[in-house]
Amino acid sequence: MESLGGNSSIIDRSVAQAMAFGYYWYVTGVYAISEPAAYHLSELIENHAYDTYNKYLTEHEEMLKSMPVPDIARKYYIEDNPFLFDLFCTVKVVSLRSSLALPGLDDEVGLAGSR
């Protein structure tokens, strides 16, 4: 979001940092009283974040695809450790292969001969 101008104002950055600080201590207090309530609160926040980002991606898909890759993403995935992207994208397939051990699974997911 920063590459789209989300951090251009000092006021925006300050409010975001203050909210994150307050949220951290609020959840810490809730956790001290009730661990399940704190985990449920975190789950609600994560679900809301997913829904918000998913809606944004859906509504602005063409614009985002037409934009160049942000420098910070290029640095993170290519220059710092180019294997992180491969690892992230193949975890699900590796997990399936190791947990199911079904014959022909590699053929179904397109990994025949990749061992």
Side-chain angles (χ1 to χ4, degrees), residues 14-78:
S14 299
V15 169
Q17 288 176 353
M19 289 177 66
F21 182 79
Y23 172 74
Y24 172 81
W25 286 109
Y26 176 75
V27 172
T28 301
V30 171
Y31 183 84
I33 296 167
S34 172
E35 291 178 24
Y39 283 112
H40 180 67
L41 178 60
S42 293
E43 183 180 11
L44 291 174
I45 297 291
E46 289 294 327
N47 286 338
H48 176 69
Y50 171 81
D51 292 339
T52 302
Y53 284 123
N54 191 45
K55 180 180 176 185
Y56 182 83
L57 290 173
T58 303
E59 291 176 357
H60 299 94
E61 181 177 7
E62 293 304 317
M63 177 199 64
L64 293 169
K65 285 184 176 180
S66 69
M67 296 175 68
V69 175
D71 291 336
I72 189 72
R74 180 174 284 109
K75 181 180 182 313
Y76 181 79
Y77 286 111
I78 296 173

Side-chain angles (χ1 to χ4, degrees), residues 61-110:
E61 181 177 7
E62 293 304 317
M63 177 199 64
L64 293 169
K65 285 184 176 180
S66 69
M67 296 175 68
V69 175
D71 291 336
I72 189 72
R74 180 174 284 109
K75 181 180 182 313
Y76 181 79
Y77 286 111
I78 296 173
E79 295 171 15
D80 290 347
N81 188 347
F83 301 105
L84 285 178
F85 182 75
D86 294 334
L87 177 65
F88 176 75
C89 290
T90 57
V91 167
K92 185 184 286 187
V93 174
V94 171
S95 296
L96 278 173
R97 183 188 299 163
S98 63
S99 64
L100 296 178
L102 294 174
L105 178 64
D106 288 346
D107 295 334
E108 289 182 31
V109 294

